[in-house]
Amino acid sequence: VEVAAIVSQAEPLAAMIPEVRTHRVLTNETCAHRCSFCDTRREHERASVAGPEALAARIDAAGAAGAEEVVLTGGEPTLRRDLARWIARARDTGARVVLETNGAPIDAAAARAYATAGLTTARLHVPGHDAFVAVTGDATGWARACEAAALLAAAGVTIEAVIPIVAATLPELDTLPSVIARAMPAVSALRARVVAPNVIDGPLPTS
């Protein structure tokens, strides 16, 4: 009876929250990071994924399906020198354009180009602070992610941080939000992504 009462109270509230049609579009499959839990990264691009015809078709399909939000993801999308072109194409569908990125390849010129093309939000992949190098294999990645957050924000892009919940990040989950807030003051929201057990980067603690 108590559960039914809770559900009956929650249903009107849920009805008030607008549903956003989100379509994730894979832009490429290569990435400079080496996260062991990533199930997308490949050493070489495939034309069936990264080729211009294939990518255009996926973005157009998202638009035709009525996407309200198109999330450009990878791989690492910013490894594409023509990424601004695809941001613009996603914008032209009428959807809000979101970029998932580790931020490492982004400089000031790229940040301005992405914003001009129509990028609304950048979701920075932040796999820990203390664990960053161990997870990604990138010794300079944390500093570059912090710089990318500042550059994108200066260009008018909303910044969110995405924390993958894996064995390596568990020990610092309590402190990581405050670390991100200090190092990346432009971050307006934090998101957590639980990695499926079959691609976890190590055994979860038992206690």
Side-chain angles (χ1 to χ4, degrees):
V1 175
E2 292 179 358
V3 172
I6 292 172
V7 170
S8 65
Q9 293 172 20
E11 285 176 344
L13 293 176
M16 295 171 62
I17 301 173
E19 180 182 353
V20 177
R21 293 202 228 12
T22 297
H23 286 246
R24 296 172 60 82
V25 175
L26 195 64
T27 64
N28 68 314
E29 295 173 291
T30 58
C31 180
H33 284 182
R34 295 293 182 265
C35 306
S36 62
F37 51 82
C38 180
D39 58 356
T40 304
R41 182 179 61 83
R42 288 174 172 264
E43 292 299 324
H44 304 286
E45 300 290 3
R46 294 181 294 175
S48 60
V49 172
E53 295 84 2
L55 181 49
R58 287 196 298 279
I59 291 174
D60 293 349
E68 296 172 299
E69 179 180 88
V70 172
V71 180
L72 301 178
T73 187
E76 172 49 50
T78 61
L79 291 178
R80 297 192 67 112
R81 294 183 179 180
D82 62 349
L83 180 60
R85 166 190 173 187
W86 301 109
I87 291 172
R89 191 172 186 121
R91 175 205 62 202
D92 289 345
T93 67
R96 186 167 76 99
V97 185
V98 177
L99 173 66
E100 290 187 340
T101 176
N102 59 42
I106 297 175
D107 58 18
R112 289 192 297 269
Y114 299 159
T116 300
L119 181 63
T120 303
T121 302
R123 290 182 183 146
L124 284 174
H125 183 243
V126 186
H129 173 259
D130 299 339
F132 195 96
V133 177
V135 171
T136 67
D138 185 354
T140 63
W142 172 265
R144 289 190 290 169
C146 293
E147 182 180 9
L151 292 172
L152 288 163
V157 177
T158 299
I159 310 299
E160 299 177 353
V162 181
I163 304 170
I165 309 301
V166 295
T169 60
L170 286 178
E172 57 179 316
L173 285 183
D174 288 342
T175 59
L176 190 54
S178 60
V179 171
I180 291 173
R182 289 194 300 270
M184 304 178 187
V187 170
S188 62
L190 292 177
R191 292 171 175 259
R193 180 173 68 87
V194 179
V195 177
N198 64 322
V199 292
I200 204 76
D201 68 333
L204 289 171
T206 56
S207 62

